[in-house]
Amino acid sequence: MVTRTRVTLGLAGLLAGGAGACNWTTFDDLSSEVWVERVNNPDDSRQYGVAVGALPDTADTLDGQGANLVVLGRAKLMVSTLRYGGDGKHAVSSVGGQAIFPAFMFDDLPAKPAFAVDPTDHRFAFGSLTGNTLAGQAFIGVMDGDNLGVSVAPARVFIGSDMALSMLAPTGIAFATIPDAGGFTNDPGLGELVVARGSELDVMYDYANSAITDVGTFAECKQATSRATEQSFEVAVADLEGDAAPEIAVGMGPRSATDGTTSEIRIYQVGEVVKNQSTVNLPTNCDPPSTTISVPAIDAGFSMLSARFDPAVTQAALVYSAPSINTVFVRLPGATDPLQITVPTTGSTFGYALAAGDLDGDDVPELVIGAPKSDLSGTTDAGAVYIYRYTAGAFAQVSAAPLQVSSPSAGDLFGKSVAVAPWGKTGQNVLVVGGEGKVFTYFRLPGLYDDDVRTGR
């Protein structure tokens, strides 16, 4: 089902904070207004949209195309592509369950699955636990975003010598190019995946080499823990220290508030993670991280990304969230302390989802923050999305009020996933937001991109 939405506000109204005053309508051709298309779950399940990823532009997809998106559904592991032509018409393709990997079954995905898109190609990766066929072991699947086929066969199932470690579900995945270390070498044409699960950190060198059938030979180390129930969250890989080399950042914290009240962001040099003869089969301890940042919350790094907000600086900023305290932190290059972005609404899970990308065409990324449990207009868990501009070392909200759906319903969870997607050869990026069972694609967003991406006016 598709519904087009009109936001009955001009630019002044949006910037003044009335985005919630819009009404559902099939009329979407007023050039002065916000235009957004809502696509519902093709299987009519309200668990669609738990993760949304934007596939990058390639030479094969630029001509006449709009956005190319990957959407995960939680129940029975449904994977969809949502493809827009340059005119805004879309097509949805889906595959799920054992049709993805016929060799074994799957548990449902967690509410926030480990998920990443390859920034250089139309591949994407996700992780969870297998179903009863393989007794709940962790796996990483890598798929082709063009045809929803399996890009890397077989799926990477973590069958190690320690069954308890094998059953730690992935919580974070990042595509990366990792230099040789610890006796492991990479083929630049194949790439690496960095995976966080439990207290383990995995570097899957040459993950796309289908001749590698034994996951037990991939690099893995065990992070130091002070609590029996400590777990990892999201992971990011970038030059975070200005040394022209990639670092690996990961969030670590307790499983619940009863186990502790603080968590950490740990930033590792590659050599601190990739250790000689330390593998999935027989992992040894990671070295202490070069940088540790303590956060007064249980979920630091629940969502995480790296971005270059200053194009003149090659070192990336690290953005990480702690939704339990409605706070997003930004560690800028050269800064001693991270910036903090927060909202006064308690319990909104501000920072549950993060994205960064240039929405206004100035070559500086905007920061997009999802708060899916925001109670707006008296509606419980309606959800909201906040958009921030970066200028001179600070972030400012684009509009006085967050973006939200019209006529919100309880449990809409608007903002549980967010993405910034390139719109074909126009050079414009568009905002995409996941809600409970829905995905919203913004064709026009005054104050950010004033021309409709479909018509150029």
Side-chain angles (χ1 to χ4, degrees):
M1 175 183 178
V2 176
T3 303
R4 288 186 173 88
T5 304
R6 180 175 70 173
V7 178
T8 54
L9 290 170
L11 175 60
L14 177 69
L15 297 180
C22 56
N23 296 301
W24 291 118
T25 178
T26 58
F27 184 72
D28 67 343
D29 197 28
L30 293 180
S31 61
S32 62
E33 298 180 351
V34 172
W35 300 122
V36 54
E37 182 176 61
R38 182 189 73 185
V39 176
N40 286 2
N41 186 345
D43 289 344
D44 200 29
S45 165
R46 289 181 60 81
Q47 295 183 322
Y48 183 63
V50 292
V52 176
L55 298 175
D57 282 334
T58 67
D60 293 333
T61 59
L62 275 174
D63 189 22
Q65 297 296 307
N68 291 281
L69 308 169
V70 173
V71 185
L72 296 189
R74 183 181 180 189
K76 298 181 181 178
L77 184 58
M78 185 182 70
V79 181
S80 297
T81 54
L82 174 56
R83 300 188 181 286
Y84 282 97
D87 58 0
K89 295 180 180 179
H90 78 271
V92 176
S93 300
S94 300
V95 63
Q98 283 187 280
I100 301 175
F101 298 109
F104 51 87
M105 297 172 64
F106 300 97
D107 283 345
D108 289 352
L109 290 174
K112 185 179 183 297
F115 173 72
V117 173
D118 186 342
T120 66
D121 205 344
H122 279 194
R123 292 179 292 197
F124 62 95
F126 58 91
S128 187
L129 297 175
T130 63
N132 56 14
T133 303
L134 286 176
Q137 289 165 310
F139 77 90
I140 299 293
V142 182
M143 297 185 66
D144 186 328
D146 290 325
N147 58 26
L148 289 183
V150 177
S151 180
V152 176
R156 304 310 195 182
V157 181
F158 289 87
I159 304 176
S161 57
D162 186 328
M163 183 57 71
L165 294 182
S166 297
M167 297 173 71
L168 295 173
T171 52
I173 304 175
F175 286 87
T177 299
I178 302 295
D180 299 352
F184 294 87
T185 59
N186 80 337
D187 179 337
L190 293 174
E192 283 70 57
L193 280 174
V194 178
V195 179
R197 54 189 192 92
S199 61
E200 311 302 293
L201 275 177
D202 301 281
V203 178
M204 303 172 71
Y205 277 92
D206 299 347
Y207 74 90
N209 184 353
S210 59
I212 301 175
T213 59
D214 183 4
V215 175
T217 62
F218 286 122
E220 178 176 292
C221 71
K222 302 165 75 69
Q223 297 186 77
T225 58
S226 58
R227 296 167 283 218
T229 59
E230 202 150 10
Q231 64 176 346
S232 58
F233 296 108
E234 191 55 87
V235 65
V237 182
D239 176 10
L240 302 172
E241 303 291 12
D243 55 4
E247 280 79 37
I248 298 171
V250 62
M252 285 287 291
R255 292 186 183 276
S256 71
T258 60
D259 299 318
T261 58
T262 62
S263 53
E264 294 179 341
I265 299 296
R266 299 176 179 180
I267 301 177
Y268 291 93
Q269 302 291 329
V270 170
E272 294 165 348
V273 173
V274 182
K275 311 295 296 177
N276 190 41
Q277 297 184 337
S278 182
T279 65
V280 173
N281 279 332
L282 194 63
T284 59
N285 293 333
C286 307
D287 285 349
S290 297
T291 302
T292 300
I293 306 169
S294 181
V295 179
I298 65 170
D299 53 354
F302 183 85
S303 288
M304 185 184 296
L305 58 81
S306 64
R308 291 176 57 201
F309 294 105
D310 184 346
V313 178
T314 58
Q315 180 181 345
L318 180 65
V319 184
Y320 53 95
S321 70
S324 65
I325 59 171
N326 294 320
T327 303
V328 171
F329 302 84
V330 184
R331 181 181 185 259
L332 293 171
T336 303
D337 299 312
L339 299 177
Q340 295 187 31
I341 305 172
T342 190
V343 292
T345 306
T346 59
S348 67
T349 59
F350 177 80
Y352 187 93
L354 299 172
D358 179 16
L359 290 170
D360 59 7
D362 64 355
D363 295 326
V364 177
E366 274 66 52
L367 179 59
V368 182
I369 302 174
K373 290 197 172 183
S374 293
D375 297 342
L376 300 175
S377 304
T379 305
T380 303
D381 295 348
V385 169
Y386 297 77
I387 306 172
Y388 294 84
R389 277 196 179 98
Y390 174 81
T391 305
F395 289 87
Q397 197 170 329
V398 169
S399 61
L403 197 64
Q404 64 184 92
V405 300
S406 63
S407 304
S409 300
D412 275 345
L413 298 179
F414 179 77
K416 70 177 180 179
S417 56
V418 291
V420 175
W423 190 270
K425 59 184 177 182
T426 66
Q428 176 64 55
N429 293 321
V430 298
L431 176 65
V432 183
V433 179
E436 187 71 349
K438 309 174 185 72
V439 172
F440 301 80
T441 302
Y442 286 80
F443 298 130
R444 184 176 186 274
L445 202 54
L448 287 165
Y449 43 103
D450 295 326
D451 293 331
D452 189 323
V453 295
R454 301 165 296 177
T455 63
R457 64 181 188 273

